[in-house]
Amino acid sequence: MSHAVVTWYGHSCFRIEMAGRSLIIDPYAVGYVPGLRLPELTADAALASHDHADHNAVEQVILTGRELSFSVRTVSSAHDHHNGARRGKNLIHVFEGEGLRLVHMGDLGCVLTPEQAEEIGRPDLLILPVGGNFTIDAEEAHAVMELLHPRVTIPMHYRDGVIGYRVLSTLDPFLNTDLPVNRAEENEIVITPNMPEQILIPKLVR
């Protein structure tokens, strides 16, 4: 059956496995995210949404040299509410294969325009920042979801106890929603076509 496997390493760092290949997106540098340290990671590709140290440590990923077997495209966005004037630009990554569309929003700093939403398309999985301050907050995250109508949404870039930046919000405001909220028992999630709409929270494994 068509599927993708998505693994969360905390903050905004994920492994995407699909069609027999894998990539790491937004790996963070050593010492840059409170309470977190990446394990040794090997993948076929490593990508970053923008050039900040808590997202761009692609040199830490051991690359296999194999080509990806699924498509990757990007949609340009801003890291702030001022068209990137304060924090720069941000790349939204769209991964497509196995009949699935997976979207990693990076450090999205403002609600999408209708044109951006149309370019992205409806995600089977939307990986979305919710912690505010550096990115959109919970209310803006819900607005993005209303534009994209994702089947499954995984929140990222928030504070959980001693993990994450103090200026970030916890997950609680984002969970004030009528959507079902499901908590996984591990950090690895299997995404299949036509999953019911839900918020899915991987368990952080440190």
Side-chain angles (χ1 to χ4, degrees), residues 170-183:
T170 65
L171 195 53
D172 294 341
F174 177 70
L175 300 183
N176 183 19
T177 174
D178 293 332
L179 283 173
V181 176
N182 296 306
R183 294 181 180 269

Side-chain angles (χ1 to χ4, degrees), residues 143-176:
V144 170
M145 292 170 67
E146 288 178 9
L147 281 168
L148 294 177
H149 302 289
R151 299 186 186 281
V152 178
T153 300
I154 293 179
M156 65 174 176
H157 211 280
Y158 57 87
R159 175 171 51 86
D160 185 4
V162 298
I163 298 173
Y165 298 107
R166 291 184 180 181
V167 294
L168 298 183
S169 169
T170 65
L171 195 53
D172 294 341
F174 177 70
L175 300 183
N176 183 19

Side-chain angles (χ1 to χ4, degrees), residues 105-162:
M105 301 298 284
D107 265 9
L108 181 67
C110 58
V111 176
L112 298 173
T113 65
E115 292 77 15
Q116 288 171 318
E118 183 176 0
E119 188 175 355
I120 292 167
R122 186 185 185 187
D124 294 284
L125 172 65
L126 178 64
I127 305 174
L128 184 65
V130 302
N133 196 76
F134 303 118
T135 71
I136 56 173
D137 59 18
E139 182 178 353
E140 293 168 314
H142 288 151
V144 170
M145 292 170 67
E146 288 178 9
L147 281 168
L148 294 177
H149 302 289
R151 299 186 186 281
V152 178
T153 300
I154 293 179
M156 65 174 176
H157 211 280
Y158 57 87
R159 175 171 51 86
D160 185 4
V162 298

Side-chain angles (χ1 to χ4, degrees), residues 6-28:
V6 178
T7 306
W8 186 43
Y9 296 106
H11 201 49
S12 299
C13 183
F14 288 79
R15 175 190 297 276
I16 307 293
E17 298 177 75
M18 194 159 50
R21 294 291 186 268
S22 65
L23 64 80
I24 302 294
I25 185 164
D26 279 14
Y28 44 86

Side-chain angles (χ1 to χ4, degrees), residues 25-199:
I25 185 164
D26 279 14
Y28 44 86
V30 176
Y32 272 88
V33 182
L36 291 177
R37 184 183 179 92
L38 279 181
E40 184 176 285
L41 298 174
T42 300
D44 301 308
L47 305 172
S49 60
H50 63 289
D51 195 23
H52 290 165
D54 57 328
H55 294 261
N56 72 349
V58 294
E59 73 283 351
Q60 292 183 204
V61 179
I62 301 169
L63 299 179
T64 65
R66 301 188 304 180
E67 292 187 2
L68 292 176
S69 54
F70 53 90
S71 72
V72 180
R73 58 185 174 89
T74 59
V75 176
S76 181
S77 63
H79 195 335
D80 53 48
H81 292 94
H82 305 276
N83 198 32
R86 297 188 178 178
R87 292 196 175 94
K89 295 294 186 178
N90 172 74
L91 288 178
I92 298 165
H93 284 83
V94 182
F95 310 113
E96 293 173 308
E98 297 282 315
L100 294 166
R101 176 180 293 128
L102 283 57
V103 180
H104 185 288
M105 301 298 284
D107 265 9
L108 181 67
C110 58
V111 176
L112 298 173
T113 65
E115 292 77 15
Q116 288 171 318
E118 183 176 0
E119 188 175 355
I120 292 167
R122 186 185 185 187
D124 294 284
L125 172 65
L126 178 64
I127 305 174
L128 184 65
V130 302
N133 196 76
F134 303 118
T135 71
I136 56 173
D137 59 18
E139 182 178 353
E140 293 168 314
H142 288 151
V144 170
M145 292 170 67
E146 288 178 9
L147 281 168
L148 294 177
H149 302 289
R151 299 186 186 281
V152 178
T153 300
I154 293 179
M156 65 174 176
H157 211 280
Y158 57 87
R159 175 171 51 86
D160 185 4
V162 298
I163 298 173
Y165 298 107
R166 291 184 180 181
V167 294
L168 298 183
S169 169
T170 65
L171 195 53
D172 294 341
F174 177 70
L175 300 183
N176 183 19
T177 174
D178 293 332
L179 283 173
V181 176
N182 296 306
R183 294 181 180 269
E185 296 184 356
E186 54 188 28
N187 66 333
E188 184 178 287
I189 304 292
V190 177
I191 302 297
T192 57
N194 301 315
M195 293 176 70
E197 290 192 15
Q198 61 185 290
I199 293 171

